[in-house]
Amino acid sequence: MLCKSIFGAVLVIAAAAHAQEFKCPSAQGKNALFNAAVFDGPPSDKAELAPDASKGTTSYTFASWDVGYLYDMGHSVFLVCKFAGLADAQAVTIKVDKKVKQCVFRAPKGTPAEAICK
């Protein structure tokens, strides 16, 4: 019984180690994450992707990008994190250098926004 439990725990840890996740910081100093953009290649190439799904209300903002196919074509994905009160030049750019399926931005009113690719 103990052997099965240990084996199961090892499988869970191994699966977690293989999962790739790239996430924007929740803040830059005192400036909260405000928005995110996803690019096909470096942002300097100006190939910003439109979300595959998005909705915005006064209480919730959501956007998602399906990006797995870009890796199949040999492309790279970049996640650009934008912060309230800061210029675009102060955004944080993250190269998503391992294959992920989707990037998502969520901003529920009253809670910190998050942007994640996994």
Side-chain angles (χ1 to χ4, degrees), residues 81-104:
C81 313
K82 300 176 182 181
F83 301 91
L86 297 180
D88 284 349
Q90 295 171 294
V92 171
T93 300
I94 300 168
K95 183 176 184 180
V96 183
D97 57 0
K98 303 287 184 195
K99 184 176 182 176
V100 297
K101 292 182 180 183
Q102 187 177 57
C103 297
V104 173

Side-chain angles (χ1 to χ4, degrees), residues 26-82:
S26 59
Q28 182 84 324
K30 294 182 180 182
N31 303 85
L33 179 65
F34 175 71
N35 203 349
V38 178
F39 288 81
D40 177 359
S44 60
D45 291 350
K46 301 188 185 311
E48 184 174 351
L49 299 171
D52 292 298
S54 66
K55 69 178 174 179
T57 67
T58 56
S59 62
Y60 186 73
T61 301
F62 172 85
S64 68
W65 298 260
D66 296 324
V67 296
Y69 72 95
L70 293 170
Y71 295 94
D72 297 337
M73 297 178 356
H75 296 214
S76 56
V77 171
F78 287 78
L79 175 62
V80 177
C81 313
K82 300 176 182 181

